[in-house]
Amino acid sequence: MDINKQAIQYMKEHKYEEAAKLFNEMIEKDPSNPTGFINFGNLLVHLNEYDKAERFFNKAIELDAKATAAYYSLGNLYFEQNLYVKAQENFQDAIKLGAEDADVYYMLGLTFQKQGQFKLSLPYLLRATELNHEDEEILFQYGLSLAQIGQIKEAQDVFNKVITKNKEHADAYYNLGVIEAYYENHDRALSYFEKALSIQPDHVLAANGKNNIEGLLKQ
């Protein structure tokens, strides 16, 4: 196993000190290669050392202005700090430079969601679902954005796909309950809220939805 792979393995195992030593070794051996700086920066993000991580990512971009991974990592760094406009800019830069994986489109979609720009999030979340058919969380977030802009039937179809992929997705059942309540299908709404609570008993929104529907059914 080469140094980079070993260091990444250490990160997965939460052996951060060992990973740091190997990433540092990579940088010392080849200081003109941005990969060591990017990976060390990602490690620093895990450790919440955001200022240091930012310097490592910027150094990687200084070495290679087309290092898409550096822009993606910067986007994640800013997203972690709730700096959504800066995160958005870096994810967009990564895509412009050729990044074509689900994660970058997903994260860009989330930055628009966080800014309340649900319509703008849709094409990126849709593209993420196309690039990764198996990830129910990407699909779920796409459904949320559809619901937020009033495309209720489309959102309902997406949430149903989510629970087909993952029958334990409490938030998807909750949102299906909200949609059934919107259509005034109170019995079905109640069953979805109860299903969400059976999976996640502390689901506050589902509990509120259940109480509201029970109140309506008693009238």
Side-chain angles (χ1 to χ4, degrees), residues 24 41-43 45 70 91 105 107 139-140 142 155 158 160 198-199:
N24 193 57
N42 287 332
L43 172 60
V45 171
F91 291 135
Y105 283 94
M107 292 305 300
L139 194 60
F140 174 73
Y142 177 54
V158 170
N160 277 315
S198 72
I199 297 166

Side-chain angles (χ1 to χ4, degrees), residues 5-87:
K5 288 181 180 177
Q6 181 63 69
I8 291 171
Q9 184 60 38
Y10 280 144
M11 279 184 65
K12 290 177 180 177
E13 296 170 359
H14 307 292
K15 297 177 179 177
Y16 299 128
E17 188 174 339
E18 292 91 335
K21 287 178 181 177
L22 290 183
F23 287 139
N24 193 57
E25 186 179 330
M26 282 181 64
I27 291 169
E28 288 178 348
K29 281 188 174 180
D30 188 0
S32 65
N33 187 339
T35 302
F37 291 95
I38 294 167
N39 288 339
F40 207 146
N42 287 332
L43 172 60
L44 291 166
V45 171
H46 276 290
L47 300 174
N48 297 324
E49 295 188 29
Y50 297 129
D51 291 341
K52 287 183 181 178
E54 184 176 25
R55 289 197 291 273
F56 273 77
F57 296 140
N58 283 325
K59 178 62 178 178
I61 291 169
E62 183 184 315
L63 291 169
D64 180 3
K66 295 183 178 180
T68 58
Y71 293 99
Y72 174 71
S73 293
L74 265 176
N76 282 327
L77 168 73
Y78 294 132
F79 190 92
E80 287 288 321
Q81 298 175 87
N82 303 325
L83 301 171
Y84 299 121
V85 173
K86 293 180 79 171

Side-chain angles (χ1 to χ4, degrees), residues 118-197:
F118 299 102
K119 193 169 185 178
L120 288 176
S121 77
L122 282 174
Y124 300 107
L125 293 173
L126 175 60
R127 182 60 181 147
T129 68
E130 293 169 349
L131 291 167
N132 186 345
H133 301 285
E134 302 304 318
D135 193 316
E136 74 265 7
E137 196 55 34
I138 293 175
L139 194 60
F140 174 73
Q141 294 297 333
Y142 177 54
L144 280 185
S145 282
L146 286 169
Q148 288 286 351
I149 65 167
Q151 294 189 20
I152 306 301
K153 182 64 175 68
E154 293 83 352
Q156 185 178 38
D157 291 342
V158 170
F159 293 136
N160 277 315
K161 288 179 183 176
V162 172
I163 62 173
T164 299
K165 290 178 178 292
N166 179 4
K167 298 187 185 303
E168 300 296 306
H169 201 297
D171 288 337
Y173 286 107
Y174 163 72
N175 279 279
L176 284 167
V178 171
I179 289 171
E180 294 295 353
Y182 172 80
Y183 287 129
E184 299 186 354
N185 298 326
H186 295 148
D187 289 333
R188 293 185 68 179
L190 182 61
S191 70
Y192 279 124
F193 292 140
E194 288 175 340
K195 179 64 176 177
L197 287 165

